[in-house]
C-alpha cells in the first residue's frame, strides 16, 4: 500500500488519526533534541580515565621529548603509530594536531586560497573556486565553502558513493573545480561506504585543475555499528599508484572516540602534501598539544585498544539505531511513505520523506518539542531540491528519548504527507 | 674607555687576548642553545599538578556544562574569569581558545584577509596590505606577515615604546596600513613597557584605514622579573574612550605560565570584534578544548593563583637574568663596546653590539658551540639595518649554562669588534 495510491477518503481518515496523534504529542510537552551527532554521556564515560592522565611524573614521550614544552609540529610518534594503521596511512605521512579535524580542513582551505597547494601555480584565491559536494552531506563542510565564497556544485549520493559519471565529467571540464568533499566510511548522513572501485575512479580520473584535491574526511573510520567492520582503504596508496599522489588530503579525529572537542585530530597526505601542510602550520603555531597526545596514547595504548573502545561505543549506540529503525519501519513502512538508510556505522540515519514535505515535518516536530536539524541542512546552501531529506542523529539522547522522538517524528511525517497529498 | 677610542696597539692587544680566550672557548666544545624563549624544566615542574587534572569524576564546569562534549565556542567561564582581570579586559569580551595565541593571531589575520574585519568594507586581501612593525620585535609576528605577503614597515623601538611620530604620520597617510604589532608589556626582545601615554596615542591617532587594527600581544602580562609588577593597561577601555573601540585585538596565553604548547590561549576585543571573531571561529571549529580549560581553572584557582605561580617562575629565572647582566657588565661594560636592556619582565635581553658585527658575533658563537637566534631575526625580513642586534634568551638553559654562554658570547662580541675596528 503506497500513500499516493490511497483514495481521498482513506487519506482523510489517515490524516484524522495522525492529527489526533499529533495533538497528543504536543500535549506531552516533550523537549528532545536530535540535531547534532554528539556522543552521549554514557559514551563519554568510557574515556574518563583520560581525566587523570598522563599522570604526575609522566612528562616525556617514547623518544624522550618533554611534552610540556614547545615544538614537535608533526605530533607525538606514539599517537601517530596508534592511528596510522586504523586510517591506513603511513605513520610518517600522518600529522597529529589539536582538538578539531574541522579546523584542519579549514586551515588547508585557507592555505590553499591564500598560498596555493603544493601543486598550484597560483593561490586558489586568485580566481573563482568551486567544490563538488556529494549531497546529502555534512553541513559543516558546506559551511566552510560558503564562508570563503567557494561555489558548491551538488552531486547526487547513491548507496555506494556519489554519482561518478557526473563527477568525472565535471572535473574533466572545469579547471575552477579545485576540491571535493568525501566522507568515505559511513558517510554523513547516509552511512554510505565508498567502495574501492569508486575510490579508484576518484583518484584516477583526469581533472582540468592540476591542483584538484579530494578532502577525504574519514571521521567515522572505526565507528562500526555491526560486525562488518569495514577497514579504511589505502587511499593514499591508490592515489599514488594512479599517478596522482598529491590528490588526497586525509582527515580524522578522536572526537567520537574519546571526547568531542578535547581529542586529537589528524591530517595525512603524500610526502609533498605533508611537507606543504607542516610548512604552513609552522607559521601558525609552535606545536600541538603534546600532553594531550601523550594522554591519549597512554589511554588508547594500541590500534586494538581503539577497536575495543569502539566496540563499547557500539554497545551503547547500536541499540538506539535499532530502535529508531524499528519504529520507522513499524510506523512508516506499511504506507511506503518514506525511505531511510540502514547504516552499518557512523552517527546518522538519513530519512527521505514525501517530496516537498521535509520543511513541514521539521516544523511540526519542532512545535511538538522535537528539534531536528533544519530541513535542507545536508545540502549546499541549505537547499534540498526535493525538500525531502531529514538527518536523524540518535546517539546523544537516552534510549527512551530516541524512541519518543522517532515515534513523534513518524507522526509528523504522515501528517505532513497527508496534508500535501490532500492539498495537491 | 670606549673601544672606538683605543689606539691601534691597544686594539691589537685586546684582540690577541680575546682570540686566545676564543680559542680556549672553542676547545671546551660547548653545546649551548640560547635561541628560543622557552621555559626551563624547573619552570615546567611548577605546573605538574596539571598532569593529573581535572581528575576522574570532574566532568562539568561551574554552569553544569559537560566539558567532554562539543560546544561552548567562547570557552569556559571559570578560566575567563581568572584571566580577565590579569589582562584587564571585561570577562564577557574575553574568549578562551586552544593551545596557541600565535594561532589566534594567524587566524585573525586570515579572517581579515579573506573576509575583512568588523569595520572593513572589503576583505583586506582585495588590495595590498601593510603592517607597522616596531623593531626589534618578535620574529614569529614578522613571519606571519611574510607568509601572507603583508608588507612590513619597520619602526624604531625606544625604551618606552615605538617611534610615535613615525607611526602617527604613516597611519594618517596610508590606507593600506591595516595593522601594527605590539607586545605592550616586556616587549620581545627589548623588555620595553608601553606607557599609558603611548597607548593613549596609539588608540587615538587618526588612521587613513577605517579598519586599522593593533595586534596587542600581551604575551608577558604577568611575567615580572622584579617587584615592579606593572599591571596590564585597560587598552580596550582606552580605545573605546578615544572613540575607536574596535581598533585593538588583544592576545594572551598561558604558554609561559603553565606548559608551552599545552596551555590556554586568549583573544579579547570590543563587543563587535568578539562577535566577529566568534562568528568566524564557529565555522572553523565546534568548540575549544574545554577539558583543558577546566584543568587549568582547577589548577590556577584565581588571579592570585596565577600571580603566586608567576612569582615562583621569577625565583627560577630572575637569577639567570641577573647573572647574564652581571657578566655583560663585567666583560663589556668597561669597553663601552655594546649596550643591552635591563628588562623588568619577559623572556629576553636585547643586546646591541658594535654596528656591523652582529652577524659575525653569532657566527663566532656558533662555531664555539653557543647557538644564538640568527642576527637580524628580530627585524622584518630578517634585516637588521645596522647589523647590531642579538636576542638573548636566558630562561631555558641551566644557570651554569647561561653563565658559560654569556661569557663566551662576550668574548665573541669583543673579538668581532676588534676585527671590525682594525679592519676599518
Amino acid at each position: 500500500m503506497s500513500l499516493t495510491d490511497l483514495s481521498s477518503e482513506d487519506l482523510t481518515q489517515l490524516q484524522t488519526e495522525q492529527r489526533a496523534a499529533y495533538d497528543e504529542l504536543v500535549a506531552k510537552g516533550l523537549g528532545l533534541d536530535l540535531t547534532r551527532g554528539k556522543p552521549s554521556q554514557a559514551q563519554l564515560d568510557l574515556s574518563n580515565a583520560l581525566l587523570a592522565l598522563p599522570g604526575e611524573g609522566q612528562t616525556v614521550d617514547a623518544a624522550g621529548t618533554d611534552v610540556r614544552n614547545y615544538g614537535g609540529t608533526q605530533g607525538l610518534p606514539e599517537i601517530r603509530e596508534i592511528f596510522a594503521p586504523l586510517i591506513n596511512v603511513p605513520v610518517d605521512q600522518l600529522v597529529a594536531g589539536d582538538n578539531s579535524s574541522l579546523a584542519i580542513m579549514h586551515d588547508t582551505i585557507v592555505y590553499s586560497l591564500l598560498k596555493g597547494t603544493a601543486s598550484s601555480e597560483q593561490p586558489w584565491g586568485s580566481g573563482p573556486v568551486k567544490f563538488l559536494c556529494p549531497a546529502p552531506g555534512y553541513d559543516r563542510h558546506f559551511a566552510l565553502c560558503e564562508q570563503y565564497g567557494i561555489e558548491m556544485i551538488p552531486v547526487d549520493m547513491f548507496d555506494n558513493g556519489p554519482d561518478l559519471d557526473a563527477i568525472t565529467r565535471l572535473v574533466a571540464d572545469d579547471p575552477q573545480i579545485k576540491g571535493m568533499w568525501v566522507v568515505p566510511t559511513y558517510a554523513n548522513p547516509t552511512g554510505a561506504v565508498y567502495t574501492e572501485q569508486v575510490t579508484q575512479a576518484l583518484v584516477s580520473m583526469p581533472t582540468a585543475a592540476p591542483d584538484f584535491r579530494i578532502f577525504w574526511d574519514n571521521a567515522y573510520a572505526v565507528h562500526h555499528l555491526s560486525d562488518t567492520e569495514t577497514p579504511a582503504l589505502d587511499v593514499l596508496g591508490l592515489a599514488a599508484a594512479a599517478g596522482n599522489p598529491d590528490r588526497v588530503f586525509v582527515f580524522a579525529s578522536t572526537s567520537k572516540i574519546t571526547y568531542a572537542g578535547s581529542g586529537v585530530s589528524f591530517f595525512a597526505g603524500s610526502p609533498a602534501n605533508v611537507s606543504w601542510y607542516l610548512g604552513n602550520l609552522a607559521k601558525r603555531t609552535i606545536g600541538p598539544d603534546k600532553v594531550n597526545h601523550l594522554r591519549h596514547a597512554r589511554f588508547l595504548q594500541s590500534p586494538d585498544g581503539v577497536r575495543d573502545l569502539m566496540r563499547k561505543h557500539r554497545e551503547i549506540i547500536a541499540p538506539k539505531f535499532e530502535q529508531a529503525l524499528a519504529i520507522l519501519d513499524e510506523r512508516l513502512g506499511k504506507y511506503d511513505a518514506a525511505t531511510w538508510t540502514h547504516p552499518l556505522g557512523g552517527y546518522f540515519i538519513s530519512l527521505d520523506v514525501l517530496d516537498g514535505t521535509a520543511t513541514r515535518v521539521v516544523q511540526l516536530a519542532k512545535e511538538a518539542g522535537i528539534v531536528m536539524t533544519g530541513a535542507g541542512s545536508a545540502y549546499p546552501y541549505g537547499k534540498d531540491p526535493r525538500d525531502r531529506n531529514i538527518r536523524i542523529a540518535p546517539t546523544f539522547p537516552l534510549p527512551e528519548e530516541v524512541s519518543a522522538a522517532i515515534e513523534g517524528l513518524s507522526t509528523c511525517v504522515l501528517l505532513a504527507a497527508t496534508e500535501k497529498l490532500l492539498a495537491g
Side-chain angles (χ1 to χ4, degrees), chain A:
Chain A
M1 163 179 67
S2 167
L3 263 195
T4 49
D5 296 337
L6 287 187
S7 67
S8 173
E9 288 71 24
D10 288 346
L11 267 180
T12 306
Q13 165 74 14
L14 180 61
Q15 184 174 47
T16 306
E17 288 166 23
Q18 298 308 319
R19 170 59 64 187
Y22 183 74
D23 290 344
E24 268 180 52
L25 186 68
V26 172
K28 279 185 194 159
L30 296 175
L32 301 173
D33 188 332
L34 271 76
T35 51
R36 301 304 317 178
K38 289 166 67 169
S40 63
Q41 190 176 322
Q43 290 176 271
L44 296 169
D45 285 344
L46 296 174
S47 298
N48 276 354
L50 279 176
L51 294 167
L53 284 173
E56 286 223 35
Q58 303 300 310
T59 59
V60 294
D61 70 4
T65 304
D66 193 329
V67 297
R68 303 168 301 173
N69 222 327
Y70 286 120
T73 324
Q74 191 164 357
L76 234 59
E78 44 257 71
I79 194 70
R80 295 190 286 113
E81 278 157 16
I82 292 173
F83 278 89
L86 294 171
I87 52 177
N88 204 350
V89 298
V91 66
D92 55 341
Q93 289 170 235
L94 182 61
V95 178
D98 293 317
N99 67 325
S100 165
S101 58
L102 184 68
I104 301 184
M105 296 175 220
H106 171 276
D107 292 351
T108 54
I109 288 177
V110 156
Y111 301 151
S112 300
L113 287 170
L114 290 171
K115 304 283 294 177
T117 70
S119 333
S120 300
E121 286 177 13
Q122 294 187 71
W124 281 5
S126 59
V129 180
K130 302 171 186 167
F131 265 46
L132 298 182
C133 299
Y138 180 31
D139 56 350
R140 292 190 191 270
H141 287 166
F142 302 157
L144 277 182
C145 284
E146 204 164 352
Q147 167 82 345
Y148 293 117
I150 295 172
E151 183 184 332
M152 291 181 272
I153 303 174
V155 176
D156 284 339
M157 268 298 281
F158 303 136
D159 288 350
N160 296 317
D163 183 344
L164 279 181
D165 287 346
I167 288 169
T168 50
R169 197 180 59 246
L170 285 160
V171 296
D173 286 347
D174 189 347
Q176 294 179 349
I177 298 178
K178 298 291 194 185
M180 172 183 172
W181 290 110
V182 170
V183 182
T185 309
Y186 312 131
N188 176 351
T190 71
V193 177
Y194 282 54
T195 61
E196 181 158 350
Q197 199 180 357
V198 167
T199 304
Q200 187 81 58
L202 292 173
V203 298
S204 307
M205 62 191 182
T207 62
D211 51 355
F212 174 78
R213 291 289 183 271
I214 296 172
F215 287 68
W216 188 265
D217 180 7
N218 216 341
Y220 307 102
V222 292
H223 303 57
H224 314 293
L225 285 169
S226 82
D227 292 335
T228 308
E229 299 190 348
T230 311
L233 291 170
D234 174 18
V235 66
L236 295 179
L238 291 171
N244 297 310
D246 304 328
R247 178 169 293 184
V248 187
F249 289 159
V250 176
F251 308 95
S253 85
T254 72
S255 290
K256 291 170 183 110
I257 296 173
T258 58
Y259 290 159
S262 302
V264 178
S265 60
F266 299 95
F267 171 85
S270 66
N273 282 340
V274 168
S275 164
W276 168 84
Y277 176 67
L278 291 177
N280 283 291
L281 183 65
K283 304 295 182 187
R284 185 178 179 273
T285 177
I286 315 177
D289 185 340
K290 295 190 298 297
V291 176
N292 205 32
H293 291 181
L294 185 64
R295 182 179 293 124
H296 275 73
R298 293 285 161 91
F299 174 59
L300 297 168
Q301 301 269 342
S302 68
D304 275 339
V306 176
R307 292 184 186 104
D308 288 346
L309 176 59
M310 295 316 294
R311 289 185 194 114
K312 291 179 190 154
H313 279 282
R314 176 185 158 191
E315 279 174 31
I316 295 169
I317 65 173
K320 298 183 187 181
F321 279 82
E322 285 158 20
Q323 263 174 251
L325 292 169
I327 295 169
L328 290 172
D329 194 43
E330 184 198 319
R331 293 288 310 278
L332 304 179
K334 60 185 165 188
Y335 296 112
D336 200 9
T339 58
W340 54 91
T341 56
H342 294 75
L344 297 179
Y347 260 56
F348 304 103
I349 296 167
S350 180
L351 172 70
D352 282 337
V353 298
L354 186 70
D355 280 23
T357 67
T359 303
R360 175 66 177 152
V361 170
V362 170
Q363 181 202 347
L364 284 167
K366 187 178 178 184
E367 286 165 7
I370 304 167
V371 185
M372 310 295 300
T373 309
S377 67
Y379 287 79
Y381 308 107
K383 287 180 193 157
D384 173 1
R386 296 172 64 177
D387 187 25
R388 66 169 181 172
N389 185 256
I390 294 172
R391 187 179 83 167
I392 299 174
T395 56
F396 183 73
L398 296 170
E400 59 270 26
E401 294 173 332
V402 173
S403 296
I406 304 299
E407 280 285 359
L409 181 67
S410 300
T411 299
C412 298
V413 169
L414 290 173
L415 182 55
T418 56
E419 285 175 357
K420 170 91 178 175
L421 292 169
L422 286 167

